[in-house]
Amino acid sequence: MNQVEEFNAYRSKMNEKIMAADNKVLKRIFNLDTNAFAEGTLDIKTKELIGLTCSMVLRCDDCVKYHLGKAKEAGISDEQIIEAMAIANLVGGTIVVPHLRRAMEYLEELNK
């Protein structure tokens, strides 16, 4: 199993366990997240690039992987993704560079 398959399998498995806990607050947070990234005044591509950029600045590798996958699903080009990651590094500073490295590695996996 490659890095993308591992990430998606783990995420799905754990999300099922979280939902099975039947906690109202957690369910509402998941629902809010789903609705926030749905088509609206901003299109899905823009929202995914915002999500990716924020995730990099916040240094959440799982979030970066998730938004990279969604960006590719939405048809966002590698050039657009890399430009958004450049903005994240500008805003977040050099502490974001290790996350950029892992993001580039994951992007390569997505492109295989």
Side-chain angles (χ1 to χ4, degrees), residues 1-15 65-66 69 73 106 110:
M1 192 178 314
N2 70 32
Q3 190 182 137
V4 174
E5 293 168 338
E6 282 181 27
F7 174 74
N8 288 329
Y10 177 76
R11 185 176 177 280
S12 292
K13 179 179 95 174
M14 295 313 297
N15 282 351
K65 289 177 182 177
Y66 174 78
E73 284 176 23
Y106 195 77
L110 286 167

Side-chain angles (χ1 to χ4, degrees), residues 42-96:
L42 294 175
D43 63 18
I44 290 172
K45 289 181 178 185
T46 301
K47 289 182 176 189
E48 286 305 331
L49 290 172
I50 291 169
L52 173 61
T53 303
C54 291
S55 296
M56 289 192 69
V57 172
L58 291 169
R59 301 185 306 272
C60 176
D61 286 333
D62 279 5
C63 301
V64 169
K65 289 177 182 177
Y66 174 78
H67 288 292
L68 282 171
K70 296 304 264 182
K72 293 303 286 184
E73 284 176 23
I76 300 171
S77 72
D78 286 358
E79 292 80 11
Q80 291 169 315
I81 289 169
I82 292 167
E83 191 168 326
M85 292 192 302
I87 299 289
N89 275 264
L90 175 65
V91 172
T94 57
I95 196 166
V96 177

